[in-house]
Amino acid sequence: MTTSRRRVLGALSGVTGSTAWSLPAAAQERRLVANTYPGLWEEAHRLHLLPAFKRVSGIDATLTPMLAVDVIARLAASRGTPPFDVILNDEGPFLANIDQDFFETLDASKLPNLADIPQKFIDPTMKGVYVSAQIIGLAYNPARVQTPPTSWDDLARPEYRGRVGITGPGSSLAVAWLVETAKLHGGSEANLEPAFAQLRKIMPNVGAVTAHPGQLITLFQQGEIDVSFSYLNLIAPLKARGVPVELVKPETGWVLLRNGVQIVKNTRSPQLAHAYVNAYLGREVQAGLAAAPYYLAPTNTAVPFGGELQTIGQSMADLERSVIIDWAKINPQRSALIERFNRETRA
């Protein structure tokens, strides 16, 4: 590691469809607790999802900002009396825990908005449904980078020396980058060796290794990095605030990270939980979360692609052509992957 490289340590380790079915039973259920992610996620859920849920249930849901890893830890500690009724979970941790009996099977008859969701966004076991997707591409500072990156391999360009920022594979973002880099060199989710070979080539360019994707945004703002991989929903708000930063499509295509919701096993409010999930799948809520400043790609086919999302595609068909990571193959090796990455980047 070069003396100038800075490591940021892991302290940051419309409701459509009828809901008349739910009202008699839901009237006996007076409580619903869900998690959200911190920051703009929480803001978006309080602005769009909670009001939509209240209109059909009459209930003020309790929303707790908490990342998926902490939510799963709390579920494991209190299976009989779960602290949440519905949880938000990225596909990696969801699939890693799908056999742990944490989640109820969804009742499709209680989710009329499910009719507008493509099969690609419905888990085949019905243990969860994907309510949004984060778009992953290549980020750069157009004020300082004359030749924008077009490939994951471009992070090794000599002109980017010391100006590249990356996150560790504790984040889903970095896993997606490693997988796509491996594929460029004959690898796959089951063979990431080519990605580590490429990582060693990139390291002279790396000026910062962070634990959390949001920390890369701070480094862009501070002018400490000029190139990285990132999410549209992190880059677009930064760009809207006047920070010189762009997100471009890699030549191998955008990568999708799907965000899902699950109903927790032993919930005391199954009817309300289904009403909450159905509200989340509705056109009104999904359109709100897709708009500025949140930029989460919708999974409901009835939501139009506008604003920054049009840089991704014109319709759901374009979104569905994006790359999906096979998390079922990644999850068993995740711990070893993190240890290997830390060892390689500290060498």
Side-chain angles (χ1 to χ4, degrees):
M1 178 181 289
T2 63
T3 54
S4 62
R5 184 178 305 142
R6 191 156 69 88
R7 177 181 295 274
V8 181
L9 297 177
L12 296 174
S13 23
V15 181
T16 57
S18 169
T19 53
W21 55 267
S22 66
L23 296 179
Q28 308 304 315
E29 302 172 4
R30 305 304 303 169
R31 168 186 176 273
L32 184 118
V33 181
N35 80 302
T36 180
Y37 298 152
L40 284 176
W41 284 86
E42 180 180 5
E43 178 184 301
H45 288 156
R46 293 192 184 282
L47 181 63
H48 296 288
L49 176 55
L50 295 195
F53 171 67
K54 187 172 184 178
R55 282 197 293 275
V56 297
S57 68
I59 299 295
D60 288 312
T62 299
L63 203 57
T64 301
M66 186 178 292
L67 296 177
V69 63
D70 299 318
V71 170
I72 294 296
R74 292 190 63 181
L75 292 181
S78 53
R79 287 178 180 269
T81 55
F84 299 98
D85 301 291
V86 181
I87 64 170
L88 174 69
N89 211 349
D90 291 346
E91 59 183 309
F94 163 55
L95 294 174
N97 291 282
I98 197 169
D99 295 328
Q100 299 300 311
D101 204 28
F102 287 138
F103 314 124
E104 293 282 2
T105 300
L106 299 175
D107 183 344
S109 70
K110 297 176 180 176
L111 300 172
N113 287 327
L114 203 62
D116 291 328
I117 309 299
Q119 286 297 315
K120 191 168 189 172
F121 298 115
I122 302 172
D123 184 79
T125 69
M126 287 296 287
K127 294 291 186 181
V129 57
Y130 297 106
V131 290
S132 63
Q134 292 170 268
I135 310 295
I136 300 174
L138 288 158
Y140 73 100
N141 179 343
R144 297 174 62 99
V145 173
Q146 294 183 337
T147 307
T150 60
S151 166
W152 306 106
D153 276 357
D154 285 349
L155 271 60
R157 284 183 181 175
E159 64 264 36
Y160 298 160
R161 191 174 185 87
R163 304 302 299 171
V164 172
I166 61 176
T167 67
S171 75
S172 300
L173 174 66
V175 172
W177 169 64
L178 285 169
V179 169
E180 288 300 283
T181 300
K183 289 178 179 176
L184 277 176
H185 299 277
S188 66
E189 284 90 344
N191 175 21
L192 294 172
E193 284 302 320
F196 281 106
Q198 190 65 14
L199 176 63
R200 289 192 284 274
K201 294 180 182 177
I202 291 171
M203 285 311 295
N205 284 3
V206 174
V209 181
T210 72
H212 189 282
Q215 293 169 315
L216 291 177
I217 298 307
T218 300
L219 298 180
F220 265 112
Q221 289 178 289
Q222 295 172 342
E224 297 192 29
I225 63 171
D226 295 326
V227 183
S228 184
F229 42 79
S230 193
Y231 295 118
L232 175 67
N233 60 301
L234 290 180
I235 294 299
L238 201 63
K239 181 180 175 182
R241 294 202 299 270
V243 176
V245 62
E246 298 283 352
L247 190 77
V248 292
K249 180 182 180 180
E251 59 189 12
T252 48
W254 300 108
V255 179
L256 289 189
L257 174 66
R258 297 175 294 182
N259 319 116
V261 293
Q262 299 90 43
I263 295 178
V264 176
K265 196 85 172 181
N266 297 321
T267 173
R268 287 171 291 186
S269 305
Q271 298 279 26
L272 288 177
H274 278 86
Y276 185 88
V277 173
N278 193 56
Y280 209 144
L281 296 174
R283 291 193 296 271
E284 177 186 340
V285 172
Q286 295 228 339
L289 270 61
Y294 311 118
Y295 305 107
L296 294 170
T299 56
N300 187 316
T301 55
V303 178
F305 279 51
E308 288 288 335
L309 284 179
Q310 290 189 325
T311 64
I312 309 304
Q314 301 299 311
S315 68
M316 182 61 71
D318 292 331
L319 185 68
E320 288 188 87
R321 282 192 284 271
S322 300
V323 177
I324 298 291
I325 302 299
D326 188 343
W327 291 97
K329 292 181 179 175
I330 286 292
N331 284 328
Q333 55 182 322
R334 190 73 176 269
S335 296
L337 184 61
I338 294 171
E339 291 179 10
R340 172 82 179 273
F341 179 91
N342 289 339
R343 189 167 62 250
E344 296 267 358
T345 57
R346 286 171 177 155

